[in-house]
Amino acid sequence: MDIRTFDTVYTVIHKTRSESGLYHYLCENQTDGAQYLLFGRKREFIDKRSIAFLNEQINNKEFIDFKDVFVYEDQLIVAMRYHVAPTLQERLKEESEFEERLAIGRGILEAFLLQKMPPHFQVQCLTMERVLITDTMEVQFAYSLEDMELACVRRQEDVWEAFASLLEKMWKSELSRNNIPALKRYIEYLRTKESKTQESVYRNYLLMMETMKAMPRTERNLPNQRLLRIWKCIHRQIPRIKKIAAFLILLAALLLLIYSIWKQNQPAGTTEPLIRYIGTLELKE
């Protein structure tokens, strides 16, 4: 099966339909040989604002993963580049290095800057399942056309909230131990109401990244700060505890001595009769 436009032929490899009624066509572009995911929805189920939003992306030349919008039979089709790579969720199931996770966060922001994709697509991409990481640590995305009715209302603030949530998932273990204050401050910065550009968010990420990379490895795995505070409190009390323990030992020794002296001064009790026989054998003195 082929889906044809004025200048492109898409050969369909696989076709599915989502519960929301969105058709998915995995295709190979006969012009450039690349694979694309074509999203199709009947035109009557797409509002005019969403159609206008999609048409705007055709003129966004930097958004190279957004290939085309066209009408095929009774469907509005959106063609987007299809990438194959392990998801961030799969990647983090392995023991990810400190620097590797920092590089992934930087790669996400760089991909946003280079492609200049609108906030709607950025928010959709900022999940553990839609961020893809290649073997060469290149960041790619698995796109979706669900929730198109939200495309015109999503703002950049929604992107930074989604990015903050993703970072919290990526660094869940370290944040629970509260031993990476630079990242914690950066996440708080993302959630402030001050106006932020993509460039400023990227620059601040680089600063945070350098601070975290400079951390000694011993500090990266410090235990939970609450437990650390408890241990420090106990450690400060050790001299006092030692004095109390020494006093108790001395007191116990003194009481034992008094008891021994008292025991020796008690009158002798009746002695037990000697054993003179073992069976029928008589023991001689």
Side-chain angles (χ1 to χ4, degrees):
M1 174 183 173
D2 289 340
I3 297 177
R4 298 175 179 269
T5 68
F6 179 74
D7 58 355
T8 307
V9 177
Y10 295 99
T11 299
V12 177
I13 301 171
H14 183 67
K15 175 185 176 182
T16 59
R17 186 179 181 183
S18 69
E19 293 181 359
S20 65
L22 190 68
Y23 289 93
H24 297 79
Y25 304 91
L26 177 59
C27 304
E28 181 178 331
N29 187 327
Q30 296 302 319
T31 303
D32 60 15
Q35 289 188 340
Y36 290 84
L37 198 57
L38 274 57
F39 302 94
R41 175 165 286 173
K42 293 185 181 297
R43 295 180 65 182
E44 59 265 29
F45 297 119
I46 303 180
D47 60 72
K48 293 181 180 179
R49 292 194 307 169
S50 297
I51 294 175
F53 169 80
L54 292 170
N55 283 325
E56 287 176 5
Q57 306 315 310
I58 299 176
N59 299 320
N60 183 358
K61 302 303 181 183
E62 286 85 3
F63 192 5
I64 57 175
D65 281 351
F66 193 97
K67 176 66 174 177
D68 203 358
V69 177
F70 58 92
V71 175
Y72 174 74
E73 295 178 350
D74 61 343
Q75 299 179 66
L76 183 71
I77 301 286
V78 177
M80 303 194 72
R81 186 67 183 267
Y82 178 72
H83 299 287
V84 180
T87 66
L88 179 57
Q89 186 175 46
E90 293 168 338
R91 190 90 181 194
L92 293 184
K93 285 181 180 177
E94 305 169 1
E95 196 65 31
S96 297
E97 292 292 333
F98 206 81
E99 288 80 3
E100 183 178 282
R101 281 176 287 165
L102 287 172
I104 290 171
R106 182 188 63 195
I108 291 171
L109 294 178
E110 288 175 349
F112 286 169
L113 281 168
L114 292 172
Q115 296 227 42
K116 298 193 184 309
M117 65 177 72
H120 174 69
F121 284 107
Q122 292 183 24
V123 171
Q124 281 202 329
C125 289
L126 285 170
T127 69
M128 300 286 280
E129 300 80 16
R130 296 200 175 278
V131 175
L132 309 178
I133 312 297
T134 69
D135 292 338
T136 58
M137 293 300 294
E138 180 185 358
V139 173
Q140 299 172 340
F141 302 106
Y143 297 102
S144 171
L145 220 65
E146 303 288 349
D147 303 327
M148 273 306 302
E149 65 276 4
L150 299 176
C152 298
V153 299
R154 276 182 168 147
R155 298 292 179 263
Q156 204 64 46
E157 292 77 14
D158 301 320
V159 177
W160 306 139
E161 174 59 37
F163 188 46
S165 297
L166 184 66
L167 290 175
E168 287 175 333
K169 292 182 177 71
M170 292 174 61
W171 298 90
K172 181 179 179 180
S173 178
E174 287 82 359
L175 287 170
S176 69
R177 294 197 296 266
N178 198 29
N179 62 337
I180 44 175
L183 177 62
K184 187 176 180 181
R185 288 193 299 270
Y186 182 75
I187 290 174
E188 291 171 351
Y189 156 73
L190 290 174
R191 287 177 167 149
T192 59
K193 296 189 179 299
E194 66 178 271
S195 179
K196 296 179 282 291
T197 64
Q198 293 198 41
E199 289 77 10
S200 65
V201 169
Y202 178 66
R203 285 195 300 270
N204 277 281
Y205 186 91
L206 294 181
L207 292 173
M208 179 272 295
M209 184 176 177
E210 290 305 312
T211 301
M212 288 181 64
K213 287 172 67 176
M215 290 176 62
R217 290 191 175 273
T218 53
E219 291 184 17
R220 297 178 183 184
N221 298 311
L222 285 176
N224 186 288
Q225 291 298 300
R226 184 178 178 184
L227 296 177
L228 188 61
R229 287 195 295 271
I230 293 173
W231 164 246
K232 286 181 177 179
C233 182
I234 294 173
H235 187 70
R236 286 196 297 269
Q237 298 300 323
I238 286 179
R240 184 179 178 185
I241 293 172
K242 285 182 177 179
K243 290 179 180 178
I244 294 173
F247 172 76
L248 291 175
I249 292 171
L250 181 61
L251 180 62
L254 181 61
L255 291 174
L256 181 61
L257 179 62
I258 293 172
Y259 174 77
S260 299
I261 295 172
W262 173 81
K263 187 70 175 176
Q264 289 178 357
N265 292 330
Q266 294 300 309
T270 58
T271 59
E272 294 292 331
L274 293 174
I275 298 174
R276 296 186 178 277
Y277 291 92
I278 298 178
T280 59
L281 178 65
E282 180 180 2
L283 300 179
K284 295 181 180 181
E285 295 183 2

